[in-house]
Amino acid sequence: MTGGRAYRGERCLGGQLVYTPDGDVLDKHLHVLRRAPGGFDWRPEADEARIDQLAIALLADSATKNIALDHYKEFAQYLCEELEGDEWRLPTSDISADTWSRDIDVADETPSPEDVDITAVDFDEMTFAVERALCEKHDISVHQGVDERREELRSFRETVQTESGDSGEAPDETGDFEFPAASQ
């Protein structure tokens, strides 16, 4: 197995457990979409809702809720094809859309880092493509948990606003950049 950050899953007496790259138990993300409150599964014969819940949780944790909602079915199919056995390891790089998606053209949806302004982005509404560009621009790892990544981005935005003498009011526009429509 290769090194690097990865999600891990294991089947044990208490059920199926999935761990984040930081070693924490992965939240089911039922607040995003409640497909299988009972938990995850990845066996080929597993209930579809349990595989869907795993896909939702992985995408919501590593990307955004919108990506999870829009693409969990396709990602669940990828998981069925890729995950085998009672234990598995899924590198964070395999969760990027260019690895599993036939519908998301990441190159078309991702703005260049120069096109995004951290002081003008609404973190609660930004797409993963914008978040990825901000992370690249400000040298923040996109492969950490979403909460840690957002905290680093907020901290960096506060620093930028303080250095520029901003009044602290965040603009509600994203500048001149027009975000491409997400694939359906």
Side-chain angles (χ1 to χ4, degrees):
M1 291 202 173
T2 60
R5 297 179 56 78
Y7 288 87
R8 294 179 306 106
E10 65 181 14
R11 192 176 317 283
C12 54
L13 291 177
Q16 291 70 256
L17 295 176
V18 178
Y19 301 94
T20 68
D22 296 324
D24 299 321
V25 174
L26 179 65
D27 182 82
K28 294 176 190 157
H29 288 77
L30 297 173
H31 62 282
V32 175
L33 184 62
R34 180 181 290 270
R35 290 280 293 136
F40 309 129
D41 203 347
W42 50 85
R43 295 171 294 143
E45 67 276 3
D47 179 47
E48 180 181 342
R50 293 170 70 92
I51 296 169
D52 288 350
Q53 197 69 52
L54 176 59
I56 291 162
L58 288 168
L59 288 173
D61 188 68
S62 65
T64 66
K65 291 186 273 188
N66 289 340
I67 288 176
L69 288 169
D70 292 344
H71 300 285
Y72 75 89
K73 280 295 201 185
E74 184 179 6
F75 189 56
Q77 181 61 41
Y78 171 78
L79 293 175
C80 285
E81 295 166 4
E82 294 296 315
L83 303 182
E84 296 178 355
D86 290 338
E87 294 184 12
W88 53 264
R89 183 179 182 283
L90 185 66
T92 55
S93 59
D94 285 3
I95 299 177
S96 66
D98 52 338
T99 302
W100 55 268
S101 179
R102 294 159 196 80
D103 293 333
I104 302 174
D105 186 348
V106 175
D108 288 341
E109 291 187 18
T110 304
S112 71
E114 298 78 32
D115 291 335
V116 292
D117 177 6
I118 197 164
T119 63
V121 172
D122 178 352
F123 290 144
D124 294 327
E125 298 296 324
M126 75 177 156
T127 64
F128 184 62
V130 171
E131 188 169 1
R132 181 184 291 184
L134 283 171
C135 287
E136 183 179 334
K137 183 175 186 175
H138 300 292
D139 199 28
I140 296 171
S141 173
V142 74
H143 297 296
Q144 59 185 319
V146 67
D147 293 335
E148 292 84 8
R149 190 171 57 238
R150 294 283 173 92
E151 185 58 38
E152 281 192 53
L153 286 168
R154 282 185 180 88
S155 177
F156 196 85
R157 176 168 55 193
E158 289 173 14
T159 302
V160 168
Q161 289 174 333
T162 301
E163 288 174 357
S164 68
D166 238 353
S167 65
E169 295 180 24
D172 57 3
E173 297 296 321
T174 56
D176 295 331
F177 181 77
E178 292 186 28
F179 300 103
S183 299
Q184 295 296 326

